[in-house]
Amino acid sequence: MEDWLTKALDKATEKGMKDGLEKGMKAGLEKFVKCVDSLMKNEGYTKEHACSVLDSTVDEYEKAKQLLAEAAVMI
């Protein structure tokens, strides 16, 4: 295969993988935050208890919310 074509395909593959990872991570963070929020709202759990039920921590929840907020500003 031509060298330029190989480089272009490698670059496109790398970009596709990066974009896919970013979208997947964002979707996972959104789902996690939504689950914690739902437990707090619908079950009356504290943030600490909701995070514990999901085998997580309040720090992880707050970091997820922060990352999502930062991602929203970038768009």
Side-chain angles (χ1 to χ4, degrees):
M1 195 176 305
E2 296 288 329
D3 190 44
W4 65 270
L5 182 56
T6 300
K7 287 180 183 177
L9 288 172
D10 288 347
K11 187 174 181 178
T13 300
E14 183 179 328
K15 181 177 179 355
M17 289 176 65
K18 181 178 181 253
D19 290 350
L21 270 172
E22 287 175 2
K23 287 179 183 177
M25 290 175 69
K26 183 176 184 269
L29 290 173
E30 288 171 342
K31 184 69 173 178
F32 169 63
V33 168
K34 183 178 178 181
C35 287
V36 172
D37 290 344
S38 289
L39 286 170
M40 289 189 298
K41 178 183 174 191
N42 298 328
E43 301 298 325
Y45 289 0
T46 64
K47 190 184 306 181
E48 292 78 10
H49 188 208
C51 290
S52 176
V53 166
L54 297 171
D55 197 27
S56 188
T57 65
V58 172
D59 287 342
E60 290 171 329
Y61 169 75
E62 296 296 340
K63 182 66 176 177
K65 287 185 73 164
Q66 178 185 356
L67 289 170
L68 289 171
E70 289 171 4
V73 169
M74 294 173 70
I75 295 174

